[in-house]
Amino acid sequence: MFHRTSAAVLALGLLVAAPGVGAQDARQIVQEAQRRTDARSQQYEGTLKVFDAKGRVTDKRWTFARHGSHGTSKAVLRFTAPPEVKGVALLVINHPERASDQWMWTPAIARERRIALQDRSTRFFGTDFSFEDLEERDVGQYEYWLLGEETVEGVRTWRIRSRPTHTKSSQYTSSILWIRQDRYAFVRIENYKDEQLVRRLVYRHLENVQGIWTARSLEMSDLRRKSRTVLSLEKLQYNVPLEDEDFTLQALRREQ
Amino acid sequence: MMLLGLISWPYVRRHLVRSLLTTLGIVLGVAVFVGMHSANEAVLYAFHRTVDRIAGATHLQVSAGEAGFDEEVLERVQSLPEVRVAVPVIEAAVDTGLKGQGSLLVLAVDLTGDRSLRDYDLESGDEELIDDPLVFLAQPDSLMVTPEFAERNGLDINSRMPMWTMEGEKQFTIRAVMRSGGLASAFGGNLAIMDVYAAQKVFGRGRKFDRIDVAVTEGVTVERARVAIQRLLGPGFQVGPPSSRGQEFESLVSVYSITANISSAFALFIGMFIIYNSFAIAVTQRRSEIGILRALGATRGQVRTLFLVESGIAGFVGSLVGAMGGILLARGVAGFIAGLLQGVYGIAQRADEVATEPRLIAFAIGMGMATSVLAAWLPARNAARVDPVQALQKGKYQVLSAGENRIRRRAAALLGAGSVLCLLFGRSGWAFYGGYALTVVASLLLAPSLALWLAEALRPALKWIRPVEGALAADSLIQAPRRTSGTVAALMLSLAQVIGLAGIARGSYGSIVDWLATALNPDLFITTSQNLATRTFHFPESMGPELRKIPGIADVQMVRSARVTFRGGPVMVVSVEIAGIAKRARRRPVEGNERDMYRLAAAGEGVIVSDNLAELHQLHVGDVLEIAAPTGLLRLPVVGVVLDWSDQLGTVLMDRSVFTRHWRDDLVDIFRVYLAPGASAPDVKSRILERFAGSRRLFVLTNRDVRDYILRLTNQWLGLTYVQIAVAVLVALLGIVNTLTVSIIDRRRELGVLQAVGALRHQVRHTIWMEAIAVGTVGLVLGLALGSVNLYYVLQVAARDLSGMRVAYGFPVTLALWLVPIMLGASFVSALVRTRRVGGAWLARRGARIRVG
């Protein structure tokens, strides 16, 4: 889903109070949230902590680079630690009208594999994110309803329900978004499958980075598995010089 | 019941050995039937269960023969709206290097999506067990094993275990253990899961998958999805439910199954003759009792029923013991079959469980009883016809009337003519098998007359050897043909079967040796496994030029074999550089012009087919063959038919360029290496091993190694035939023993009189010996004669309906010569044992009784 994905893992969500945006309809709010995260590119180093139901913690690190505008962007996520997974990469090429193309690169066998559309609902390599959660989708692929306003951790938010349109294939039947009224930044997203809450994403440590309000910590909880994954962002930069050719399968192979 | 208690039980107790012998016939037949079927079923069941367990929630499987297909096919299948999930699979049975573990079935899947189809039921709950799913995918040495396998080998998470790969033996890491049951119980628990992309590298598969497992979209019928996938991929692909793999396996092993069925039927047939003989003896021995019973008012029906019930009880007891023996036998045979399948077809299969199928046991017992009752029918009828007065006139009933003989001869002539007509004009299977049956029945009808004529012909010779004893022995046979006709018929049939089986075994063996000499003439063979039939690993084509650079190598030919579907059944496609074969291993075609055959095949304008494929599918030169290839239907004319023993279901030989183009497969299974003049095979072998040490899993086999391997396999396959031969000989021997027993018992009075009139004991003994040898000789002559006809039919059956292999007719002279001393020796030994009793206290006692009587 666009708002969740872009705000969560890839674009991370940045909201600046926009003049003229007051009481609006739900779609406008989400569109404005997207507009405020616009950047030519983005780069960061992420630390991933997976807390499973038994309290075990797994650590991983990755570098993330994204290039292009919303809906047509390309991103590469490359694991840097632990050593066993170093070099494993995921290339995501987003399309505004359909699901993204995703490939995983495994350096040990020097092979890429396509992540099939049917597999997008599966967990992203043992984390609580799914492959679908890594997609960047266009606002137009969802329908929105403003459910009301709510104060979350002392901050006023809009509470919006979204549902994929019939052209969009998603594991989730609906989601509820909380968007800060002051910065148009996402605060929380709850994802439902047949009215059952399955995943919750919480945005924390909102900071202004190069004029873009960005959550530096994201926590995704899988409510059925009772596990959670915390992604922390370091060395975050926007509008860094990146080239289109850095986001191809050839580039993945080259940089192994 | 009363009669059984009064008459039958005391007889059984008095003749315990005889009763056991009677039961032995059934025991033998039922044991072989149950053993063979249970073992066969166990192997098939194990295969089906493995397929079933591995299939999980799979609705359809997409495959394109053994060679696999390109990765891009997966995306095409996934794009169909009728498909909910489509996941790639590679399956390989590999050696683990762990002692006593045999093959490990590696199921390589893409774990990112495969969980939608298969429930791995991980030991510590869901995915947590894979300590880190990313590590599992990132490291190509990752394995998930079953708890049984882990326990057997003392393995735990992060343990290391060896496994053969394309690059030799490598260490793999256990990164997950499944929970018991379900998928984990497939292949006897010797199952491991690995990443499909890692498997491509480990097993040298290139960018190919073996198959795609599909689950259809909710609301879509499986048939609709099947049609959609088939339409999308074309006829080069097979799309069907997982169970269709079982059908393919069954058709692959059908040759073996038919052989097993024939063995079972043959064993029962033999058992029937043993029972017939034993009951014929019983009727003979109890003629006085029967006479008394009849005199006391017992009806013919009661007498007949008495014998039939006896035979039914004997059949039941024998069947029960046979069934138990069969179950024990099955355990050994199942392992043998599994080994044979791996050797012949390259299919690793484990048949650890031999289930006792109640229906099979019930059927076997019913069949054993029915056989027993059927075999006892004639003796029971004869018993019912015993005239109380005639019962006291020893020997008289054994005479066959001239009229009876004439009717038999006429019927035999009629049936014989029918069988010839079937042979000459019958085209259908019914006509052929009908003709075969008519021949056997005609022979059985003729047996008494032929035995009589032969006995008459033998009389001068016997008389010349021993004037008195010889004449007496010959007359005994001539005057009582009924007594010996059963034995002679059993002997004849058994020996005919021996000749038929030995003939086909000898012919096949000889033909294979000839084929080995012409077709398999390279000096060295480089393979990925010691078992030439296993094609788990493959070589890259680039190895060919590397090999050619090795000093001492003059020529290298690349061979790729793959089982593909042709006319709904599996056949073997062998791709090789035909021009090279024409130069080095030129074979004369059995149909077609040699020069054109090689020219057209080398140019990719036709295929050469094996004679067995041509026979099984009625193919001739000029016919266009349609073979399903991943790129579509390959249509090429047959340009020649050659004798080929590569595969029992038929071989299509095509140029490598054709295969590479249509299967998009440039892998190599075997390199055929010809040495330069003066080069030493051991030296070149060492250089090859040295050149690829540590980088390739390969075996360098000398021509002798390959020949020995194939001949060993042939012997293993023919092992079943040898068992049948042994059983047939055993039956023949039992027949002789039985006949002599009847003869002696029946002639107590005559032998007593002989002694009374001054015949010495040794003269009586000699008479019996000579009679025994005469019976053996008659049976032997008739058996060899019928055997020569039977061999013709057996060869036809094999060519028509089994393997399609045309084996040249060759009478097994050596075996026939061996049979002469065996049968005559056995006759003599049986007689020797019997006459000891005759010449000793037994005869004195019997004689005294006779005199008093």
Side-chain angles (χ1 to χ4, degrees):
Chain A
M1 299 179 71
F2 149 71
H3 32 71
R4 179 183 59 260
T5 326
S6 60
V9 183
L10 301 183
L12 306 168
L14 72 168
L15 300 178
V16 188
V21 180
Q24 315 158 55
D25 73 6
R27 178 174 295 277
Q28 278 178 318
I29 295 169
V30 179
Q31 265 172 343
E32 181 57 22
Q34 177 179 307
R35 192 191 66 72
R36 293 187 185 205
T37 59
D38 267 350
R40 282 196 319 279
S41 62
Q42 178 191 26
Q43 201 169 275
Y44 69 80
E45 285 180 17
T47 305
L48 204 62
K49 276 187 185 298
V50 181
F51 302 82
D52 73 11
K54 292 176 183 167
R56 287 187 305 183
V57 184
T58 319
D59 286 326
K60 282 189 190 72
R61 293 186 65 79
W62 72 39
T63 59
F64 175 83
R66 174 185 162 273
H67 176 67
S69 41
H70 274 299
T72 58
S73 66
K74 297 170 181 176
V76 170
L77 185 157
R78 196 180 294 276
F79 287 91
T80 54
E84 296 93 334
V85 302
K86 191 177 175 187
V88 174
L90 185 79
L91 170 67
V92 182
I93 297 182
N94 292 298
H95 307 285
E97 76 291 356
R98 61 181 170 90
S100 65
D101 290 317
Q102 298 184 358
W103 288 272
M104 176 193 175
W105 170 258
T106 318
I109 51 172
R111 275 300 314 269
E112 76 281 350
R113 77 184 69 200
R114 197 170 189 282
I115 308 295
L117 194 59
Q118 66 192 24
D119 304 334
R120 302 293 165 85
S121 61
T122 59
R123 295 172 69 201
F124 174 64
F125 303 138
T127 68
D128 293 288
F129 293 99
S130 70
F131 283 94
E132 187 188 343
D133 296 331
L134 307 184
E135 287 181 351
E136 189 178 78
R137 297 291 179 86
D138 193 72
V139 180
Q141 289 185 311
Y142 296 85
E143 292 172 318
Y144 301 94
W145 293 268
L146 186 59
L147 301 178
E149 297 181 7
E150 194 176 314
T151 302
V152 179
E153 293 174 6
V155 180
R156 291 297 293 168
T157 63
W158 286 295
R159 194 160 156 258
I160 295 169
R161 175 186 288 276
S162 78
R163 203 173 59 190
T165 59
H166 65 280
T167 57
K168 163 81 175 92
S169 80
S170 173
Q171 63 184 305
Y172 306 121
T173 45
S174 68
S175 301
I176 296 180
L177 328 170
W178 283 262
I179 298 175
R180 278 175 74 140
Q181 293 184 357
D182 57 350
R183 307 198 193 288
Y184 281 79
F186 286 88
V187 172
R188 187 196 299 167
I189 298 173
E190 288 184 345
N191 297 306
Y192 291 81
K193 262 186 194 172
D194 300 324
E195 307 306 318
Q196 189 199 353
L197 178 60
V198 289
R199 280 198 178 96
R200 178 186 293 127
L201 179 63
V202 176
Y203 297 78
R204 294 201 176 98
H205 309 304
L206 198 68
E207 283 180 20
N208 190 328
V209 181
Q210 295 171 252
I212 298 174
W213 285 97
T214 314
R216 301 297 293 258
S217 171
L218 299 95
E219 182 178 306
M220 177 68 98
S221 305
D222 187 323
L223 300 163
R224 288 175 301 186
R225 296 167 50 81
K226 296 182 175 55
S227 60
R228 62 193 173 95
T229 300
V230 177
L231 171 64
S232 305
L233 280 63
E234 294 153 30
K235 297 180 185 172
L236 175 65
Q237 285 180 285
Y238 288 105
N239 298 319
V240 286
L242 293 171
E243 299 297 328
D244 232 21
E245 52 267 30
D246 294 333
F247 298 88
T248 59
L249 283 173
Q250 288 77 9
L252 281 187
R253 292 183 195 122
R254 213 168 38 234
E255 287 179 32
Q256 68 170 300
Chain B
M1 275 306 286
M2 200 172 70
L3 283 179
L4 277 174
L6 285 173
I7 310 291
S8 305
W9 180 238
Y11 176 82
V12 169
R13 285 176 58 192
R14 261 204 322 274
H15 302 91
L16 202 58
V17 177
R18 170 81 21 76
S19 305
L20 287 175
L21 272 179
T22 307
T23 318
L24 188 70
I26 296 292
V27 172
L28 194 71
V30 171
V32 173
F33 176 79
V34 171
M36 289 288 193
H37 268 81
S38 298
N40 209 21
E41 287 299 312
V43 174
L44 285 175
Y45 174 72
F47 182 83
H48 281 291
R49 196 178 55 172
T50 296
V51 167
D52 188 47
R53 299 271 158 91
I54 283 177
T58 301
H59 294 123
L60 291 167
Q61 291 183 327
V62 179
S63 60
E66 210 179 64
F69 47 82
D70 291 342
E71 281 179 9
E72 55 92 16
V73 175
L74 175 66
E75 282 183 44
R76 293 172 63 199
V77 174
Q78 285 172 337
S79 69
L80 282 171
E82 290 86 355
V83 171
R84 180 174 64 83
V85 182
V87 293
V89 177
I90 286 178
E91 236 180 71
V94 293
D95 298 330
T96 54
L98 294 169
K99 221 172 181 180
Q101 283 307 309
S103 295
L104 177 71
L105 182 67
V106 175
L107 180 71
V109 294
D110 185 354
L111 280 169
T112 52
D114 205 71
R115 301 293 300 276
S116 322
L117 282 186
R118 276 168 273 269
D119 183 7
Y120 294 98
D121 214 4
L122 300 172
E123 192 66 60
S124 59
D126 207 16
E127 283 174 14
E128 279 83 358
L129 182 41
I130 302 185
D131 214 23
D132 189 330
L134 185 58
V135 175
F136 192 94
L137 291 178
Q139 297 298 320
D141 68 341
S142 304
L143 281 183
M144 185 195 299
V145 296
T146 66
E148 290 81 9
F149 185 80
E151 195 181 326
R152 277 202 296 267
N153 297 287
L155 300 168
D156 211 336
I157 301 288
N158 293 325
S159 293
R160 309 269 283 163
M161 63 165 270
M163 195 168 81
W164 278 100
T165 73
M166 199 50 244
E167 293 165 353
E169 196 179 82
K170 299 274 180 196
Q171 289 294 320
F172 283 75
T173 307
I174 310 297
R175 292 208 160 86
V177 178
M178 290 175 257
R179 190 171 287 143
S180 295
L183 178 66
S185 61
F187 207 68
N190 267 26
L191 179 79
I193 309 291
M194 77 181 293
D195 179 47
V196 72
Y197 297 95
Q200 284 179 333
K201 187 178 168 67
V202 164
F203 302 131
R205 298 292 175 92
R207 293 199 161 210
K208 282 174 170 277
F209 298 133
D210 285 353
R211 66 168 197 269
I212 297 172
D213 284 2
V214 173
V216 306
T217 307
E218 211 172 312
V220 173
T221 63
V222 173
E223 179 57 17
R224 197 180 118 198
R226 191 196 67 75
V227 170
I229 299 170
Q230 190 74 72
R231 196 185 301 126
L232 175 81
L233 300 179
F237 288 79
Q238 291 84 52
V239 186
S243 57
S244 60
R245 284 183 75 202
Q247 287 156 15
E248 191 179 324
F249 180 78
E250 279 177 29
S251 107
L252 203 61
V253 298
S254 63
V255 176
Y256 168 75
S257 300
I258 294 170
T259 310
N261 281 337
I262 290 174
S263 301
S264 312
F266 179 59
L268 273 176
F269 194 57
I270 287 169
M272 206 161 107
F273 273 88
I274 294 176
I275 295 161
Y276 169 79
N277 256 325
S278 302
F279 271 87
I281 293 166
V283 171
T284 306
Q285 284 183 323
R286 294 153 69 184
R287 282 176 70 244
S288 328
E289 288 172 17
I290 297 164
I292 294 165
L293 270 177
R294 292 278 289 118
L296 289 173
T299 63
R300 287 184 173 183
Q302 280 175 317
V303 173
R304 189 171 52 237
T305 308
L306 178 71
F307 276 89
L308 290 179
V309 171
E310 264 184 41
S311 71
I313 292 171
F316 178 73
V317 174
S319 301
L320 212 57
V321 177
M324 288 190 282
I327 292 163
L328 292 177
L329 183 74
R331 294 186 194 283
V333 175
F336 170 79
I337 297 171
L340 203 61
L341 290 179
Q342 180 145 19
V344 178
Y345 302 114
I347 304 167
Q349 195 48 253
R350 292 175 70 95
D352 299 327
E353 288 176 39
V354 178
T356 312
E357 175 64 50
R359 273 184 302 182
L360 177 74
I361 302 295
F363 179 74
I365 290 174
M367 193 174 62
M369 286 175 71
T371 307
S372 180
V373 172
L374 195 70
W377 181 261
L378 274 181
R381 195 192 64 172
N382 290 341
R385 286 180 181 174
V386 165
D387 184 280
V389 179
Q390 219 180 26
L392 298 171
Q393 295 172 291
K394 306 284 180 184
K396 190 172 181 195
Y397 86 104
Q398 302 288 9
V399 179
L400 278 172
S401 71
E404 198 176 346
N405 251 342
R406 203 163 39 245
I407 293 167
R408 281 168 185 257
R409 280 200 297 273
R410 281 179 185 167
L414 208 64
L415 297 179
S419 77
V420 172
L421 284 175
C422 285
L423 205 59
L424 291 178
F425 304 108
R427 296 252 172 240
S428 70
W430 283 106
F432 172 78
Y433 284 105
Y436 189 5
L438 289 179
T439 305
V440 174
V441 177
S443 310
L444 287 172
L445 288 171
L446 268 183
S449 297
L450 291 172
L452 186 68
W453 294 336
L454 278 171
E456 282 170 355
L458 278 174
R459 193 175 190 278
L462 293 172
K463 198 175 170 189
W464 178 75
I465 298 167
R466 288 265 174 186
V468 178
E469 298 95 316
L472 280 171
D475 288 344
S476 165
L477 296 182
I478 294 164
Q479 286 162 16
R482 198 192 291 277
R483 188 172 58 220
T484 48
S485 61
T487 301
V488 166
L491 261 177
M492 181 177 76
L493 281 177
S494 300
L495 293 179
Q497 195 64 23
V498 169
I499 295 296
L501 294 170
I504 195 166
R506 174 183 169 275
S508 307
Y509 197 85
S511 188
I512 289 170
V513 169
D514 287 347
W515 170 71
L516 285 175
T518 54
L520 295 188
N521 63 358
D523 300 298
L524 297 173
F525 294 81
I526 303 175
T527 68
T528 54
S529 70
Q530 276 175 309
N531 171 355
L532 292 171
T534 302
R535 290 175 292 278
T536 299
F537 303 100
H538 309 287
F539 295 121
E541 195 176 36
S542 58
M543 234 180 101
E546 290 176 53
L547 279 166
R548 287 190 183 100
K549 286 182 198 160
I550 293 174
I553 291 180
D555 196 6
V556 175
Q557 294 170 353
M558 295 182 276
V559 182
R560 173 83 171 105
S561 308
R563 213 172 280 286
V564 303
T565 302
F566 172 67
R567 294 187 182 172
V571 298
M572 183 67 82
V573 162
V574 177
S575 78
V576 65
E577 294 130 310
I578 299 280
I581 290 285
K583 204 166 64 184
R584 293 279 189 176
R586 208 173 175 88
R587 276 182 278 169
R588 191 169 289 174
V590 292
E591 189 184 326
N593 176 285
E594 187 177 336
R595 187 188 291 181
D596 289 347
M597 177 178 86
Y598 282 114
R599 183 176 56 78
L600 291 168
E605 292 170 15
V607 292
I608 301 170
V609 300
S610 63
D611 56 337
N612 63 329
L613 185 76
E615 185 69 32
L616 290 172
H617 295 277
Q618 297 300 303
L619 295 170
H620 297 282
V621 169
D623 291 350
V624 175
L625 226 61
E626 290 189 339
I627 307 171
T631 51
L633 212 54
L634 171 64
R635 289 188 181 84
L636 278 176
V638 175
V639 293
V641 180
V642 293
L643 181 77
D644 189 282
W645 286 86
S646 302
D647 195 83
Q648 288 188 333
L649 298 171
T651 312
V652 178
L653 196 69
M654 65 174 65
D655 194 69
R656 184 166 167 78
S657 60
V658 177
F659 185 83
T660 308
R661 196 165 59 247
H662 289 274
W663 272 262
R664 289 184 185 154
D665 181 329
D666 63 356
L667 299 171
V668 179
D669 292 316
I670 297 172
F671 287 103
R672 293 159 57 103
V673 176
Y674 291 90
L675 300 185
S680 138
D683 289 349
V684 175
K685 181 177 173 176
S686 303
R687 277 178 219 141
I688 295 169
L689 290 172
E690 200 177 312
R691 167 68 187 76
F692 296 101
S695 64
R696 289 264 167 245
R697 169 196 161 94
L698 57 82
F699 297 87
V700 183
L701 309 175
T702 63
N703 191 288
R704 164 69 60 190
D705 294 336
V706 172
R707 279 166 191 247
D708 288 349
Y709 173 77
I710 293 174
L711 292 178
R712 197 166 54 245
L713 212 58
T714 308
N715 279 324
Q716 207 179 341
W717 183 263
L718 294 175
L720 282 174
T721 312
Y722 300 144
V723 170
Q724 290 177 27
I725 290 174
V727 171
V729 170
L730 185 73
V731 170
L733 297 181
L734 275 173
I736 293 172
V737 173
N738 282 348
T739 304
L740 283 174
T741 308
V742 174
S743 174
I744 292 165
I745 292 165
D746 196 47
R747 293 159 62 206
R748 286 196 309 249
R749 178 186 292 266
E750 188 185 324
L751 297 173
V753 169
L754 270 178
Q755 280 198 315
V757 297
L760 300 171
R761 279 182 180 177
H762 75 267
Q763 284 179 314
V764 175
R765 276 201 300 269
H766 289 166
T767 304
I768 294 169
W769 291 352
M770 292 182 90
E771 189 181 332
I773 290 171
V775 169
T777 308
V778 170
L780 194 63
V781 170
L782 293 182
L784 295 182
L786 182 63
S788 64
V789 179
N790 186 45
L791 174 57
Y792 169 80
Y793 277 104
V794 169
L795 292 175
Q796 291 295 317
V797 169
R800 289 172 62 101
D801 298 318
L802 286 178
S803 62
M805 305 279 189
R806 287 231 163 263
V807 176
Y809 186 97
F811 192 82
V813 179
T814 313
L815 181 92
L817 290 174
W818 271 106
L819 283 174
V820 174
I822 290 172
M823 299 316 294
L824 297 186
S827 309
F828 181 70
V829 170
S830 323
L832 205 62
V833 174
R834 286 293 164 193
T835 48
R836 269 195 189 150
R837 298 178 72 185
V838 170
W842 181 82
L843 186 65
R845 211 167 48 240
R846 292 280 170 179
R849 198 180 293 170
I850 290 162
R851 278 194 297 275
V852 171

